[in-house]
């Protein structure tokens, strides 16, 4: 019979238990006369379980090697603890050293380590309190994504990772090839595995549109890749995107879904990850609770891009006449993070949805408005992060879409199937993308995207 229990379950027990087994890693070891205390953590929760091991028990001879970082298996009885700050402890009947950790070289000692240092040991950083909590939050957030869409009747679509289409039209894509660069002879796309140029996807949106035009409401949730040579704290070459797509839906439906989605995720994480979130509120961002309260407190503000630019232009200089923003504010220019944050943090003091952007700064597939200058696009802006969701109503008119593709110089033949969706039963449809890592930054207060991804992929960095 398997009597193994998790540390989280042991600490949440409502009654003593006999003959249990706990496996985990030693956080600290303290020895007394004839006994030793082991603080064990198995990653299931923030807290440790104290095991009391008496001298002479099976495995006692290995105690000198059961130091910080070592993996152990402790069997015994779960009993009430006489110590303060803990209800239960494990009174050991046996201990087994599963994996030793060299105390001279084990890099995680009982002290605070910088995020920069921990990035250099990403294979070990999940053992720290901060990153253990963060990746438990990440796991729960992913589950909450699926819960939200399942409750609303959306179907999950597995979008392809390898594609021949540039969804965003920016050209910042990773090439996928089997061609040998050292072959010593001329090779073209026709010689490659797919017989044409192929890349890693930058978005699952186009696949989502296919299925939205058949299944109705769908979503994709998976990794995306952008070859953008940027080393900012907000950018990574590999990241995860959540991309819902709704048939028979306009821009207002899209904004409603984005707001409901964000509120749902925050509410679920506060319920499921209260202990882990409290760590970030205490040690990472003192304003975190207020930020999360603001997301749940009431409806998001909604303002057109034109109105947002006018508001920002009024605030472009300080009371002393100095420029407030590093980047210029002008109609036709995209909003920068500093502008997005100012709108949400200073002007509206809550999340803001900005809609109807100039068409020249948006992707080819966004529905053109009747004014000929703007498209039915929207971004959800939140304090501290800026844009967290970006989406649009898609262009469902075949002639307008074809003209836009030609205008942007995109290869029409690559989008033949996309055009056919507009010719065979076309319907208004809309959707958005949410960077999953941006969500995690928002709910934890972590300011660098490298710290919310298990193994960050950035320019000149492909470790782990």
């Amino acid at each position: 019979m398997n009597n193994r229990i998790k540390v989280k379950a042991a600490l949440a027990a409502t009654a003593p238990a006999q003959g249990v087994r706990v496996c985990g890693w030693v956080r600290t070891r303290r020895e007394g006369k004839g006994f030793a205390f082991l603080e064990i953590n198995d990653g299931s929760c923030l807290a440790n379980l104290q095991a009391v091991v008496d001298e002479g028990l099976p495995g006692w001879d290995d105690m000198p090697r059961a130091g910080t970082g070592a993996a152990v298996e402790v069997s015994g009885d779960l009993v009430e603890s006489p110590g303060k700050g803990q209800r239960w402890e494990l009174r050991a009947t046996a201990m087994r050293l599963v994996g030793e950790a060299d105390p001279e070289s084990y890099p995680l000692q009982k002290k605070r380590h910088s995020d920069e240092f921990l990035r250099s040991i990403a294979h070990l950083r999940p053992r720290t309190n901060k990153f253990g909590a963060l990746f438990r939050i990440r796991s729960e957030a992913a589950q909450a994504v699926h819960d939200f869409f399942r409750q609303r009747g959306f179907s999950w679509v597995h979008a392809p990772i390898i594609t021949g289409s540039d969804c965003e039209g920016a050209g910042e894509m990773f090439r996928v090839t089997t061609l040998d660069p050292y072959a010593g002879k001329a090779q073209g796309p026709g010689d490659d595995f797919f017989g044409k140029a192929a890349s890693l996807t930058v978005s699952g949106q186009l696949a989502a549109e296919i299925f939205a035009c058949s299944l109705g409401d769908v979503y994709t949730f998976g990794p995306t890749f952008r070859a953008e040579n940027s080393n900012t704290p907000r950018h990574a070459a590999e990241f995860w995107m959540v991309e819902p797509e709704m048939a028979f839906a306009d821009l207002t439906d899209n904004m409603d879904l984005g707001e409901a989605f964000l509120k749902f995720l925050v509410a679920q994480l506060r319920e499921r990850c209260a202990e882990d979130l409290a760590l970030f509120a205490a040690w990472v961002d003192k304003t975190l609770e207020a930020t999360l309260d603001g997301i749940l407190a009431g409806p998001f503000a909604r303002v057109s891009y034109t109105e947002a630019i006018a508001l920002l232009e009024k605030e472009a200089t300080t009371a002393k006449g100095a420029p407030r923003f590093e980047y210029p504010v002008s109609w036709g220019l995209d909003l920068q993070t500093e502008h997005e944050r100012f709108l949400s943090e200073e002007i509206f003091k809550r999340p803001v949805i900005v809609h109807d952007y100039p068409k020249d700064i948006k992707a080819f597939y966004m529905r053109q408005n009747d004014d000929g200058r703007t498209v039915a696009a929207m971004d959800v802006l939140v304090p501290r992060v800026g844009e967290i969701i970006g989406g649009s109503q898609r262009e469902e008119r075949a002639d307008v879409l074809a003209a836009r593709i030609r205008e942007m110089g995109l290869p029409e033949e690559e989008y033949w199937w996309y055009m056919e969706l507009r010719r065979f039963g076309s319907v208004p449809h809309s959707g958005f993308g949410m960077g999953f890592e941006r969500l995690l930054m928002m709910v934890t207060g972590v300011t660098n995207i490298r710290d919310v991804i298990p193994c960050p992929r950035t320019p000149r960095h492909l470790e782990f």
Side-chain angles (χ1 to χ4, degrees), residues 4 68 79-80 89 92 120 123 126 139 149 154 171 188 205 214 232 241 262 284 294 312 369 398 400 442 446:
R4 179 184 170 190
T68 300
V79 300
E80 291 190 21
E89 65 183 23
S120 72
H123 58 305
S139 175
F149 290 116
F154 282 66
Q205 178 199 317
S214 297
T232 77
M241 288 283 288
L262 209 54
V284 177
L312 290 168
N369 291 326
V400 179
M442 182 191 76
V446 170

Side-chain angles (χ1 to χ4, degrees), residues 32 55 66 80-81 115 126 157 221 233 268 273 284 293 344 432 443 455:
E55 184 176 1
E80 291 190 21
S81 175
D115 291 340
V157 173
F221 184 16
Q268 289 292 297
C273 305
V284 177
D293 286 342
S344 61
F432 62 75
V443 299
C455 301

